[in-house]
Amino acid sequence: MREGRLPLQPVHLQKLQLLNQDMTHPRRLAGGARPPIFELDMANQATIEKRATLYRLVTPEHVCPWGLKSKDLLQRSGFEVDDRPLTTRRDAEAFMTKQDVTTTPQTFIEGRRIGGYEDLRRYLGKGDVDAKAISYRPVMVLFAMTALAALAASYAVSGQLFTSRALQWFIAFSMVVLSLLKLQNVESFSTMFLNYDLLARRWVPYSYIYPYAEGLAGILMISGALRWISVPVALFIGTIGAVSVFKAVYVDKRELKCACVGGSSNVPLGFISLTENLMMVGMAVWMVWM
């Protein structure tokens, strides 16, 4: 399925005729500049030529997410999309056989097959989406959300945003959310955790206990209840975690991924991980002092 440029419509032919007449007319713009109609016509031609044809799977049972992403990317890049959904598996198989491809969606621009979503991103200069790329975004977004939640809770209780309780809740909320992320897949978390935690490497069950202990301490700190449990737990796991991270990163100079937001994260082990543990230690000390 190849597409060429669209033929000129009658209105565009009329514009070109008017352009030729105007260019030969003695009344031209100063300095021999071309009339604005020429620039307008060229802009129209560029718009007409920026078209793409997209074949994507759209059935009652399944709408291909990569097809939706391809369509959105084309539209945001200024393309007029000729959307051609493949509404049955048979249509999809026939299309793939004809084009000698194994997947959909498939994008065509000016008669040239570009390929799937990743191929389209490269063609448009957007680069590849690397799911394994190192990023601090997950943990930074998490801390931002828990900070806002703490401020909201403080305002709801006292009518003020910035209070000592807001800081306490920020740390406690962060501990609870981080524990939930770890508990999504405890096995994966424990495997990553064993790469650097000193206690877990000596006693493996600790790698399974850790997320539960962190979550329990966070919940108790939110309520302010049972400090005789929350303070020792936070102080214990926070101190061991901080020492383990410091040794792995700053003493042994190892490049590892952090298990702080779960076992499937690409957050590098380092300052963020150390901060998480120091926050727990600081919170425990503050609650003792309070």
Side-chain angles (χ1 to χ4, degrees):
M1 302 292 293
R2 300 182 61 86
E3 292 188 17
R5 295 181 177 178
L6 293 178
L8 291 176
Q9 302 298 320
V11 63
H12 299 108
L13 291 173
Q14 184 179 5
K15 284 184 179 181
L16 290 174
Q17 292 171 356
L18 292 172
L19 173 63
N20 291 333
Q21 294 175 6
D22 191 76
M23 292 297 291
T24 57
H25 197 279
R27 184 170 53 82
R28 296 177 64 184
L29 298 178
R34 292 174 175 174
I37 189 174
F38 181 82
E39 297 178 359
L40 178 61
D41 189 78
M42 292 299 290
N44 287 339
Q45 284 296 99
T47 301
I48 293 170
E49 293 173 1
K50 199 169 183 180
R51 291 174 57 90
T53 302
L54 175 65
Y55 293 86
R56 61 190 181 97
L57 185 64
V58 181
T59 68
E61 299 81 19
H62 178 68
V63 176
C64 177
W66 303 110
L68 292 172
K69 286 188 173 185
S70 296
K71 183 178 179 180
D72 175 70
L73 181 58
L74 286 166
Q75 290 175 334
R76 286 190 288 110
S77 300
F79 282 84
E80 181 181 344
V81 182
D82 179 11
D83 190 13
R84 302 188 182 182
L86 304 168
T87 56
T88 66
R89 292 287 179 181
R90 179 178 296 180
D91 289 345
E93 292 292 338
F95 168 79
M96 290 188 289
T97 300
K98 183 176 182 180
Q99 298 297 331
D100 193 23
V101 296
T102 57
T103 60
T104 61
Q106 293 292 324
T107 301
F108 294 77
I109 297 177
E110 295 186 358
R112 172 189 170 190
R113 186 176 70 82
I114 305 303
Y117 176 69
E118 295 293 342
D119 298 315
L120 179 61
R121 286 187 59 89
R122 285 190 289 269
Y123 176 82
L124 297 175
K126 305 293 184 181
D128 293 329
V129 178
D130 187 359
K132 297 182 179 180
I134 291 176
S135 173
Y136 287 100
R137 180 182 296 179
V139 70
M140 297 303 294
V141 171
L142 184 151
F143 284 146
M145 295 297 290
T146 53
L148 291 172
L151 292 175
S154 176
Y155 185 80
V157 171
S158 65
Q160 296 181 342
L161 288 175
F162 302 101
T163 63
S164 59
R165 290 299 299 273
L167 178 59
Q168 177 181 337
W169 283 332
F170 162 60
I171 297 174
F173 287 166
S174 298
M175 291 170 63
V176 172
V177 175
L178 286 168
S179 71
L180 289 173
L181 291 174
K182 296 177 177 72
L183 289 169
Q184 289 184 105
N185 190 332
V186 179
E187 197 67 40
S188 178
F189 161 76
S190 66
T191 301
M192 188 177 291
F193 194 59
L194 285 166
N195 281 319
Y196 59 87
D197 189 84
L198 296 176
L199 178 56
R201 297 176 78 172
R202 289 179 174 272
W203 188 52
V204 174
Y206 178 66
S207 64
Y208 294 92
I209 295 172
Y210 182 94
Y212 294 98
E214 183 180 31
L216 174 63
I219 291 172
L220 293 177
M221 286 178 174
I222 292 172
S223 67
L226 302 177
R227 293 189 178 187
W228 58 275
I229 294 178
S230 62
V231 170
V233 169
L235 190 61
F236 180 80
I237 65 177
T239 300
I240 293 176
V243 172
S244 299
V245 172
F246 186 84
K247 181 180 184 300
V249 176
Y250 300 104
V251 177
D252 298 338
K253 307 294 183 181
R254 300 173 66 196
E255 294 184 0
L256 299 170
K257 291 180 181 179
C258 177
C260 56
V261 290
S264 60
S265 76
N266 293 318
V267 177
L269 186 69
F271 175 75
I272 297 295
S273 314
L274 186 60
T275 301
E276 175 198 0
N277 289 285
L278 290 177
M279 284 196 311
M280 282 192 285
V281 173
M283 183 68 175
V285 173
W286 183 21
M287 291 184 72
V288 170
W289 180 75
M290 293 290 289

